[in-house]
Amino acid sequence: MFEARFETGETLIKIVDAMKELVEDCNIDCSTTGMSMQAMDQSHVSLVALMLQKEFFGSFRCDRSISLGLNLLSFSKILKCASKEDAITLKAEDGGDVLTLMFESKDGSRVSEFEMKLMDIDSEHLGIPETEYKAVVTMPSGEFQRIVRDLGIIGDTVGIGCEKDGVRFSVTGDLGSGNVVLKQNTSADKPDLATLIELEEPVELSFALRYLSLFTKATGLSPQASLSMSPEVPLVVEYKIDDETASYLRYYLAPKVDE
Amino acid sequence: PRKQRKLGQFFGAP
């Protein structure tokens, strides 16, 4: 038996919305430690990784590890039947082929239940090596979204160059070029607006804006996003879902390299 | 021109 209750159902809706354009079908793995998911996009250029620790949930029970094979578009459609304020409980029997979704209004006056068919999905799990990144930029997630959107007007590839006191996003396209520099800024009174740079050595890498734009669908999950980079390895964009329990949504993106 | 790398070039099968 698996049962997990999201006290704030809106978080689950945001998580699914932040994954569904990148990944069509996926296995959500449930175990005694929590819920997790790892899936690549169809072109195998990016990967989305979700970790929700059991302590994140209002209540969590998982007697036996199970994989829930889900079509994220269908999942998202059913979740649209929930109200923003609802608590959402997911339930599945061991060896069952349906996922039960229960939506409860705040005052408990309305309870709805839906069943969704589960699928058998062959998923390839990739081993992600533990990496000490040379540069980690933490910035307001809305700022990252805006930069990706603005630079996407000019071109399709962004250069991200990180130095001690700032990070530069630059783009060149048919109609011209542009760049945005974000300087280190520790807004002590508003930590959500801070830009922090942890640097071991300067790093400069290029990435496809199309994927970064899909990653920014997670903006509503966290006020801050972090970008971790090292030379010649995939970028990690992380949105913390819950700081206390180390629950997160992470995206990995392979760099573009000069031929 | 820059070439898009695939993730499999960095992350192996576990």
Side-chain angles (χ1 to χ4, degrees), chain A residues 43-47 125 127 206 232 254-258, chain B:
Chain A
S43 57
H44 291 198
V45 164
S46 69
L47 180 144
H125 258 257
S206 295
E232 300 286 309
K256 284 184 156 191
V257 293
D258 286 324
Chain B
R2 290 203 171 89
K3 192 177 177 341
Q4 176 67 63
R5 294 279 196 99
K6 302 261 184 191
L7 273 182
Q9 292 173 269
F10 305 95
F11 300 160

Side-chain angles (χ1 to χ4, degrees), chain A residues 216-251:
Chain A
T216 63
K217 303 285 176 196
T219 303
L221 277 172
S222 176
Q224 293 248 297
S226 72
L227 277 54
S228 301
M229 301 196 299
S230 275
E232 300 286 309
V233 300
L235 161 79
V236 190
V237 181
E238 180 181 87
Y239 294 85
K240 287 193 162 75
I241 293 171
D242 182 46
D243 238 344
E244 271 171 47
T245 65
S247 297
Y248 58 77
L249 188 61
R250 281 182 193 156
Y251 301 93

